[in-house]
Amino acid sequence: MHWINAAVMMVMITSGWGIYDDDVIIHGLYFGGFFRLGDWAAWSLNWHLAGMWFFGINGLIYLIYGLATGRFLERLLPIRPKELVQTVAETLHFKIAHEDLTVYNAVQKVLYIIVILACISQALTGLSIWKPVQFSGLVTLFGGFQTARVIHFAGMVVIVGFVVVHVLLALLVPKTMWAMLAGGPRLKPAREVGVARRS
Amino acid sequence: MKSLFRPDDAPDGSALDLHRPLIRSLERRGLLRGGITLGSLVMLTGCDVKRPEAVQQALLAISRLNDKVQALLFDPNKLAPTYPASMILRPPKFNAYYDVVDVKPVNGATWRLELSGLIQDKRPWTVEDLQGLPQSSMVIKHICVEGWSYIGGWTGVTLRTFLERVGADLKAPYVAFNTADNYPSSIDMATALHPQTMLALQYGGQTLADPFGFPLRLRTATKLGYKNPKWLTSIEVTNTYPGGFWEKKGFPWFAGI
C-alpha cells in the first residue's frame, strides 16, 4: 500500500506540475518540462485524472483500514508536547535511530497526521476543481473555485515537503528501509517478549 | 554564543571514534537502498518521456472511462451558481487556439446557421430568426481547463428551446457544432438540454463582439471553456461520436464541471 501510494504520489505531483504550468498561480513560478509528467497539459491532465482513481481508492482503503483496526489511534495518538520537544532536541543532536520501529516518536506522529490531513484536503479540493458545478457545495466550503485551486496547490507544497523530509530521514535511519520494503518490521513472537503486539 | 541545543557536558568523543566504521557502512547501505528505490520511482514517471503508444492508449482508455463516470455524475437538474450582473467582466477574456489579432470577423448579414443530422426542419437560420425565439439571460462562471476563470453574462436562446423548435431527435446522444474558425466541438444530449446551455447572441446586454463569437456562440455553464465554440456555422444532431478540436489532441471529451 505504501509503494502504490509512493508511485501514485509521484504521478499526481509531477502531472499536477504540468497542469499548473499552463496557468500559474505564483507569477513567474514554472516547474519546467524536466519535472513534468506528460509532455504538455493535455497529457499531464490525463495522467492526473487517471492517477486520481489510484490515489482515491488506495487512500480510502488506507483510511478505512487505519480507522477500523484502530491502527491510527494506536500509532498516531497520543501526542505529548513534552515528547515532541524531546524528539526535536534529539533529532537536532542527530540521535534519530528508531529503537522500536513499531512505535512512532512524537514528531513522526505529528508529521504523519499532517500529511494524512493534507491528502484528504487534496482529494476534496481536487474534487472541487474537477467538478465545481456538480460539487458546488464543496467549492463554497473552500471559499470559491480559485481559492480551492490555491489550497490544492498549497496541499501539494505540504506533501512535497513531507516527502523530502520522510525520504531523507528514512535514508539516515537505514533499518527502516528494510521494514518499508518488506512490509513491516519483524516482530518477536509473543512468548519471547511476553506481550502479544500485532500491528 | 553557545548554541541552545548544545549540551552542557560534551559527550565522550571516543565513543564516536569507536563506532565510526559501523556508522559509515550503515550510511552507505542506506543511501544505496534509497537510491535504488528513488531511481525506480523516477523510472515509473520517466516512461512518459517518449510518450510511447501503449502508455498513451492506456491514458486515453481511462479518459474515456472518465467520460462515462462524468456523464453519471452529471445532474441534469443541478444548476451552476449564478452571480449578480455587476460582477460581469467587461470585455470578457479572449481565448482561442490562435491570437486575438488573427480573429476573422463574420458578416452577420450573410451569415446562416446550417442544420444537419437527426433534425426534422433543416432550414438554415438567420440572426433575425434567432432573435425571434424566446430569449433568456444568465450570469455564470467560465472555467478554463488551464485553471483561470471569469464571470460572464450571456443572453440568447437556450439550446433546448432551439432543438425542440427544429424537431431534433432528443434521444440522439450527441450534438455537434462547426464554426467559422474551424473549431469543431460536440457535447452530450443531457448537457445540450440543460437549462444553462445556450446559443448566445449577446454578452453583458450587448451584441456579441467579434472576438467573442459574433453572431452566435455556444455557452454552457456545466462544461469547461473549450466546450464553448464561437462563431457557430452549423449544428448536427447525431448518433456517431463527433469528437472535437482539442479532443483530437488528447483532451477529455466530456469535460463537465
Side-chain angles (χ1 to χ4, degrees):
Chain A
M1 201 179 262
H2 174 265
W3 292 103
I4 295 175
N5 193 47
V8 170
M9 273 300 169
M10 289 294 285
V11 167
M12 292 312 267
I13 292 167
T14 52
S15 63
W17 290 347
I19 298 167
Y20 168 91
D21 274 5
D22 225 20
D23 184 54
V24 300
I25 291 170
I26 299 167
H27 189 72
L29 174 71
Y30 291 88
F31 290 101
F34 179 77
F35 295 102
R36 295 195 303 239
L37 177 58
D39 53 6
W40 67 288
W43 294 102
S44 296
L45 186 72
N46 285 336
W47 271 107
H48 210 69
L49 297 180
M52 75 177 178
W53 294 110
F54 297 91
F55 171 76
I57 293 167
N58 190 59
L60 218 53
I61 294 172
Y62 173 75
L63 286 181
I64 292 168
Y65 171 79
L67 290 171
T69 59
R71 184 188 160 93
F72 285 158
L73 219 62
E74 180 197 318
R75 295 290 183 87
L76 300 178
L77 294 171
I79 299 166
R80 297 188 185 86
K82 208 179 121 192
E83 278 176 34
L84 198 63
V85 174
Q86 192 194 345
T87 316
V88 171
E90 280 177 7
T91 307
L92 290 170
H93 286 99
F94 294 99
K95 271 172 64 185
I96 49 175
H98 297 324
E99 266 113 51
D100 182 354
L101 289 181
T102 61
V103 178
Y104 295 147
N105 66 44
V107 172
Q108 278 179 302
K109 287 177 183 175
V110 170
L111 286 182
Y112 291 149
I113 289 173
I114 288 175
V115 81
I116 289 169
L117 291 178
C119 285
I120 294 171
S121 164
Q122 286 307 78
L124 294 178
T125 49
L127 277 177
S128 312
I129 304 170
W130 186 46
K131 293 274 165 221
V133 172
Q134 304 307 324
F135 302 135
S136 54
L138 260 184
V139 180
T140 313
L141 192 74
F142 287 116
F145 177 79
Q146 290 300 337
T147 320
R149 223 181 128 213
V150 172
I151 300 173
H152 198 65
F153 180 81
M156 178 278 292
V157 174
V158 170
I159 292 170
V160 169
F162 170 83
V163 169
V164 169
V165 172
H166 180 67
V167 171
L168 270 180
L169 287 180
L171 291 183
L172 286 171
V173 187
K175 71 174 171 177
T176 59
M177 290 309 293
W178 181 248
M180 280 192 267
L181 287 171
R186 255 179 239 142
L187 295 179
K188 285 186 184 134
R191 62 186 125 79
E192 272 180 48
V193 284
V195 265
R197 279 192 61 220
R198 283 301 309 167
S199 56
Chain B
M1 197 185 113
K2 189 170 125 340
S3 163
L4 288 172
F5 300 104
R6 192 169 293 173
D8 291 329
D9 317 304
D12 183 5
S14 64
L16 184 63
D17 287 337
L18 212 61
H19 295 292
R20 191 154 277 152
L22 176 70
I23 293 168
R24 285 227 180 99
S25 79
L26 283 177
E27 276 171 356
R28 265 203 305 276
R29 249 186 285 164
L31 273 177
L32 193 67
R33 281 192 200 136
I36 293 167
T37 327
L38 262 188
S40 52
L41 279 181
V42 171
M43 270 188 280
L44 264 179
T45 66
C47 60
D48 180 62
V49 173
K50 278 176 266 149
R51 205 215 291 166
E53 198 67 13
V55 175
Q56 203 172 333
Q57 287 311 317
L59 287 175
L60 287 178
I62 298 179
S63 187
R64 280 191 296 271
L65 185 78
N66 282 348
D67 280 348
K68 294 202 179 91
V69 175
Q70 292 192 72
L72 285 174
L73 280 175
F74 178 76
D75 177 354
N77 299 314
K78 173 114 185 167
L79 293 180
T82 53
Y83 305 86
S86 58
M87 290 175 79
I88 296 173
L89 179 76
R90 291 166 204 267
K93 214 168 134 73
F94 173 80
N95 200 52
Y97 61 91
Y98 46 83
D99 203 72
V100 65
V101 295
D102 296 321
V103 168
K104 292 191 189 70
V106 169
N107 182 348
T110 56
W111 175 88
R112 296 289 181 274
L113 179 68
E114 311 282 342
L115 302 182
S116 64
L118 306 167
I119 292 174
Q120 280 168 15
D121 183 358
K122 295 199 181 76
R123 274 179 297 180
W125 288 68
T126 64
V127 175
E128 292 73 29
D129 293 340
L130 287 162
Q131 283 165 342
L133 289 177
Q135 307 284 304
S136 60
S137 296
M138 57 182 182
V139 180
I140 51 163
K141 191 171 269 184
H142 174 117
I143 293 175
C144 178
V145 67
E146 292 177 335
W148 51 266
S149 59
Y150 74 87
I151 291 167
W154 308 90
T155 303
V157 186
T158 61
L159 187 55
R160 176 190 272 273
T161 304
F162 183 79
L163 290 177
E164 284 172 352
R165 181 65 170 254
V166 297
D169 177 2
L170 303 184
K171 298 264 184 298
Y174 306 109
V175 181
F177 304 88
N178 221 327
T179 70
D181 68 335
N182 259 320
Y183 182 87
S185 189
S186 59
I187 59 173
D188 55 297
M189 185 58 81
T191 301
L193 299 177
H194 187 269
Q196 288 170 314
T197 299
M198 172 186 282
L199 294 172
L201 292 154
Q202 293 184 0
Y203 182 84
Q206 277 158 4
T207 304
L208 276 180
D210 283 325
F212 308 108
F214 176 82
L216 189 73
R217 71 172 293 172
L218 182 71
R219 196 59 197 90
T220 161
T222 55
K223 293 242 187 251
L224 289 171
Y226 69 92
K227 303 296 284 188
N228 293 268
K230 304 184 269 283
W231 309 284
L232 294 182
T233 53
S234 69
I235 297 180
E236 181 189 7
V237 175
T238 173
N239 287 321
T240 322
Y241 171 74
F245 183 88
W246 288 113
E247 290 85 340
K248 258 185 229 144
K249 298 181 193 297
F251 272 107
W253 173 74
F254 195 90
I257 56 174

